[in-house]
Amino acid sequence: GNCFPLSLICKHTLRPNISQTGTLPTRPSVPRPVVAPTGSLPRQTKRAARPANKAEVILWFKDVEWPRRIVCNKAGKICPWFHGILSRGHAEQLLDGKPAGTFLIRVSERIWGYTVSVSSAHRCKHFLVDAAVIGKYQFFGDNQKVHDDLHSLIEFHQKYPISVAGQELLMTPQDQIGRVPDYQELMS
């Protein structure tokens, strides 16, 4: 479908609402850089063990993750599963009533990384993804596989459950709802 240039989104241009057009809003198109060869990733900077506030999280995302277009697909569009900085409660509202395996990824305010929120049969579950080491993504916990990016983490957990006990699989991305994308503050 059509896509909006990132510059329009960053200038707070509103996208059409699904109720106005009858179609889902499209995502901005952004160029995805060529995959960097080993050793040319952004330089690891000394950071506190955890972010102190939301401003530090936004700065981390803009400085480390966004230049790598970690939340973009190969066509350069922001992936439908990406939702910026959302509260746990807002994520649960978006996933309420959705089939088991519907998921979204949001930037965590607690760690240098992300939270995967996924609907299950009886409730919404939330899993922290450690991204403190540039180019390495893994769920917190014992014996978790390390992935080179969020795309490979998602692909892996479409086939293999996040936890043995819960058997959570990432099946269907939860897209944006509403006029303004909830990741906008990370792009401005």
Side-chain angles (χ1 to χ4, degrees):
N2 295 334
C3 57
F4 290 83
L6 186 59
S7 61
L8 291 179
I9 298 299
C10 293
K11 291 179 182 174
H12 305 286
T13 300
L14 300 179
R15 296 187 302 160
N17 188 325
I18 189 169
S19 63
Q20 296 168 333
T21 65
T23 61
L24 287 172
T26 57
R27 299 201 169 270
S29 177
V30 290
R32 185 177 176 120
V34 177
V35 175
T38 305
S40 65
L41 294 173
R43 194 167 48 91
Q44 185 77 29
T45 58
K46 184 90 170 150
R47 296 190 190 280
R50 294 174 180 248
N53 53 46
K54 186 175 182 177
E56 279 191 5
V57 171
I58 292 170
L59 186 62
W60 166 78
F61 183 84
K62 287 180 176 182
D63 287 351
V64 177
E65 298 293 278
W66 184 244
R68 298 179 60 234
R69 299 300 193 257
I70 204 69
V71 298
C72 297
N73 62 24
K74 290 178 183 174
K77 292 183 180 178
I78 294 175
C79 294
W81 42 256
F82 184 64
H83 282 264
I85 300 175
L86 291 183
S87 69
R88 178 185 185 107
H90 191 171
E92 290 174 353
Q93 286 176 353
L94 290 172
L95 295 170
D96 185 44
K98 303 292 185 198
T102 304
F103 71 98
L104 60 85
I105 297 181
R106 53 197 173 96
V107 177
S108 175
E109 289 186 75
R110 297 176 50 202
I111 62 164
W112 304 115
Y114 300 87
T115 303
V116 173
S117 298
V118 60
S119 61
S120 68
H122 304 289
R123 65 185 178 97
C124 187
K125 297 181 180 181
H126 308 274
F127 300 92
L128 291 175
V129 177
D130 183 8
V133 176
I134 296 172
K136 303 293 177 195
Y137 301 83
Q138 74 181 88
F139 286 111
F140 279 91
D142 295 331
N143 301 318
Q144 291 293 330
K145 181 174 172 47
V146 178
H147 302 273
D148 293 332
D149 55 41
L150 291 172
H151 300 280
S152 63
L153 180 141
I154 291 167
E155 280 182 27
F156 183 82
H157 290 290
Q158 287 175 328
K159 297 175 187 157
Y160 303 100
I162 296 170
S163 72
V164 175
Q167 295 294 303
E168 306 86 359
L169 293 174
L170 303 178
M171 302 306 295
T172 307
Q174 173 59 52
D175 206 345
Q176 295 284 319
I177 296 175
R179 299 176 69 170
V180 178
D182 51 28
Y183 51 75
Q184 184 170 353
E185 71 184 317
L186 295 170
M187 310 299 168
S188 56

